[in-house]
Amino acid sequence: MKKLKIFLSLLLILSLISVVGVNSTEASSTILIDNYIKVNSISKKADGKIYINYTLKKDFKTNLGYNVKQSLGFTYKMHSAIKIGSVFVPVNSKKGTYTAILSVPSPNYLGTQSVYAKWGASGQSVLKKIGTVYNVPSSVRGLKRSSHDVTKAEAVGGKIVMDYLPGLTVMIILKGKSATIQTLAKKGTAIATGLIGFNLATGYFKQMPSLSAGQVYYRESEIKTNGEVYHRLLIFANKATYNEFKNSGYKKSGLAIYSTSSISTLKY
């Protein structure tokens, strides 16, 4: 009777595999996963790890007998151009509610992490996407400031390049009374390698004063863990006014001839 039970279980699994037709790909049917897992919440903590609170609806057996084993757990993927080590956290084998913790990617890349529940057996697997979070490495977290003195050549050309982070620059392109801000990775740098396939968000600003030599452009930027990028752009008429603003602890924005902010989203 026990052998018959095992045989029927194997038959059911094989029939389900043939129905969903998977081979390490996302399946349109996730009955194998839904039969066991209910995801309650997904969150990204300050330590960079992903916390998945889930309920295992019934006990899960890894060993089905006859040298057939199955697995069930959680994993994530990043941009296809990024090669990261395999990350897989198995579910608890007993029915109940638990929290699975997925580690920080190594290397610690900036980008989208698509989170999946994953079932596998006999070289076959089923993936169910359960959420999306953003990985923001510690090197680019927090508020970043940069300033730039406008030269005559830049005033004529309508384009300013400012330092942002080691390996990153900010390009401000002006057209008439408006400008776009693009964050660009410098080629050959460590952070540029980590940004393969990504384009950091673009900020857009309107009603700006005409560009002229001697002005000081000041920029603040912060990449949030939800994938949003905060931009703040201030323009000062001269170096003396900017220095007064700087000495105030970057608070007296009324000293600027232009002050505005915007929010955009990381794009890949």
Side-chain angles (χ1 to χ4, degrees):
M1 186 68 180
K2 187 177 179 182
K3 288 184 178 180
L4 179 61
K5 230 176 176 182
I6 292 173
F7 173 76
L8 290 174
S9 296
L10 290 173
L11 188 62
L12 175 62
I13 289 172
L14 290 172
S15 64
L16 286 172
I17 289 172
S18 64
V19 169
V20 297
V22 295
N23 187 11
S24 296
T25 59
E26 285 185 65
S28 57
S29 172
T30 54
I31 186 172
L32 287 166
I33 292 171
D34 293 339
N35 196 34
Y36 284 99
I37 295 177
K38 176 181 180 294
V39 176
N40 303 314
S41 66
I42 300 174
S43 59
K44 184 87 174 183
K45 303 295 185 182
D47 59 8
K49 297 176 183 177
I50 301 170
Y51 290 72
I52 305 168
N53 183 269
Y54 69 96
T55 298
L56 192 70
K57 299 176 183 178
K58 58 183 179 179
D59 292 354
F60 181 78
K61 293 182 179 180
T62 55
N63 193 343
L64 297 176
Y66 293 95
N67 294 320
V68 176
K69 294 185 178 181
Q70 63 174 347
S71 61
L72 181 65
F74 302 97
T75 186
Y76 63 76
K77 292 181 180 181
M78 296 192 75
H79 191 277
S80 59
I82 291 179
K83 305 302 180 184
I84 60 174
S86 177
V87 176
F88 180 79
V89 175
V91 297
N92 195 298
S93 61
K94 298 296 182 182
K95 177 181 177 181
T97 298
Y98 308 95
T99 298
I101 303 174
L102 296 177
S103 62
V104 178
S106 180
N108 196 5
Y109 288 117
L110 169 69
T112 304
Q113 289 175 280
S114 297
V115 187
Y116 298 87
K118 182 179 181 180
W119 173 91
S122 302
Q124 302 293 322
S125 65
V126 173
L127 289 170
K128 178 183 179 181
K129 189 173 182 178
I130 58 175
T132 299
V133 297
Y134 289 90
N135 188 66
V136 183
S138 57
S139 61
V140 297
R141 290 181 198 159
L143 188 65
K144 308 299 179 184
R145 298 184 174 97
S146 57
S147 63
H148 181 81
D149 299 343
V150 179
T151 66
K152 289 182 179 179
E154 289 171 333
V156 173
K159 184 164 63 176
I160 300 171
V161 177
M162 304 168 62
D163 288 330
Y164 176 29
L165 291 169
L168 287 178
T169 59
V170 173
M171 182 181 293
I172 302 177
I173 304 170
L174 296 100
K175 291 184 178 180
K177 294 289 185 180
S178 64
T180 55
I181 295 182
Q182 296 178 322
T183 309
L184 307 172
K186 295 178 182 177
K187 293 181 179 179
T189 60
I191 196 165
T193 303
L195 289 169
I196 290 175
F198 302 110
N199 174 33
L200 288 182
T202 297
Y204 185 69
F205 300 94
K206 296 180 179 180
Q207 302 305 313
M208 297 173 60
S210 299
L211 187 64
S212 64
Q215 289 176 340
V216 178
Y217 271 61
Y218 167 82
R219 179 178 184 259
E220 290 178 348
S221 182
E222 184 174 7
I223 302 174
K224 307 285 188 178
T225 54
N226 64 356
E228 290 184 345
V229 183
Y230 162 76
H231 306 272
R232 185 187 183 206
L233 178 65
L234 279 72
I235 302 173
F236 297 88
N238 49 54
K239 190 75 171 181
T241 311
Y242 168 71
N243 286 337
E244 188 177 346
F245 163 75
K246 185 177 179 181
N247 293 334
S248 74
Y250 302 97
K251 293 178 181 178
K252 295 183 180 179
S253 60
L255 297 168
I257 58 176
Y258 181 80
S259 176
T260 191
S261 61
S262 73
I263 297 289
S264 53
T265 306
L266 288 172
K267 297 176 182 178
Y268 307 93

